[in-house]
Amino acid sequence: MNSFSKYYPSVIVFASIAVAGVLFIKTMNPAQAAHEQHEKAHPVPQHLTHINTQAEAESLKPGDSLAMVCSHCKIVTVHQVGKDQSHVRMMTIGNKHNCHVCKGSVEVVGTGDGQGKHKQVKHVCSKCGDDAMFICATKTGHKHQHEDHD
């Protein structure tokens, strides 16, 4: 009999006990199981951060989100970032679109701070004014820890 076959039954027993122990510990924590179930029902919230340059928009990856907020119209429009980089138009100087709430014409204009793609921009609406709109973004890898709540 070689040395491996001599210890083989002991290894099997030890591995079985270890697996059983892990399963036992996992089932003995009902609070953790309830929290995991709660997280499935209420996903971790995503926090958005204000961005104000085309370069910041270009740094977003597919799966990230970009939101245009108008404090006057009380609306948030969320865009999912895709592979086509079409979301960058929201931060490109000279880009224009219409607000579907107030029907105003919105134009992306440079503020004078920075140069090129790093030039800061703002969104000027013909009806809401030049300080009503802003853009924020969230990145898929930057989710905050889920907090316990009732």
Side-chain angles (χ1 to χ4, degrees):
M1 182 189 288
N2 64 27
S3 63
F4 177 73
S5 59
K6 181 175 159 183
Y7 295 108
Y8 184 71
S10 298
V11 171
I12 295 295
V13 169
F14 178 74
S16 299
I17 291 171
V19 169
V22 168
L23 293 174
F24 177 75
I25 290 171
K26 186 153 181 83
T27 59
M28 287 301 295
N29 191 349
Q32 179 65 27
H35 184 71
E36 288 174 4
Q37 189 67 21
H38 177 77
E39 280 187 342
K40 289 178 185 175
H42 304 283
V44 176
Q46 293 183 335
H47 297 269
L48 287 88
T49 304
H50 180 248
I51 65 170
N52 56 8
T53 68
Q54 182 177 338
E56 289 172 310
E58 288 176 352
S59 73
L60 299 173
K61 305 284 185 249
D64 296 339
S65 298
L66 195 66
M68 177 177 279
V69 181
C70 180
S71 59
H72 187 266
C73 292
K74 307 287 190 247
I75 188 149
V76 177
T77 306
V78 179
H79 299 271
Q80 295 298 318
V81 175
K83 294 178 183 177
D84 63 358
Q85 295 286 309
S86 63
H87 66 281
V88 175
R89 290 189 308 239
M90 290 178 66
M91 300 298 286
T92 303
I93 294 174
N95 183 43
K96 295 180 183 178
H97 68 276
N98 293 319
C99 175
H100 69 275
V101 175
C102 71
K103 309 296 185 226
S105 174
V106 180
E107 183 176 3
V108 181
V109 297
T111 64
D113 298 328
Q115 292 181 336
K117 294 179 180 182
H118 298 281
K119 187 171 198 152
Q120 292 187 12
V121 300
K122 63 181 178 178
H123 296 77
V124 178
C125 178
S126 62
K127 298 221 175 159
C128 299
D130 61 350
D131 288 327
M133 294 185 148
F134 63 94
I135 303 289
C136 30
T138 183
K139 293 189 175 189
T140 53
H142 292 98
K143 293 180 182 175
H144 292 272
Q145 181 68 27
H146 182 76
E147 298 174 7
D148 290 331
H149 59 83
D150 295 329

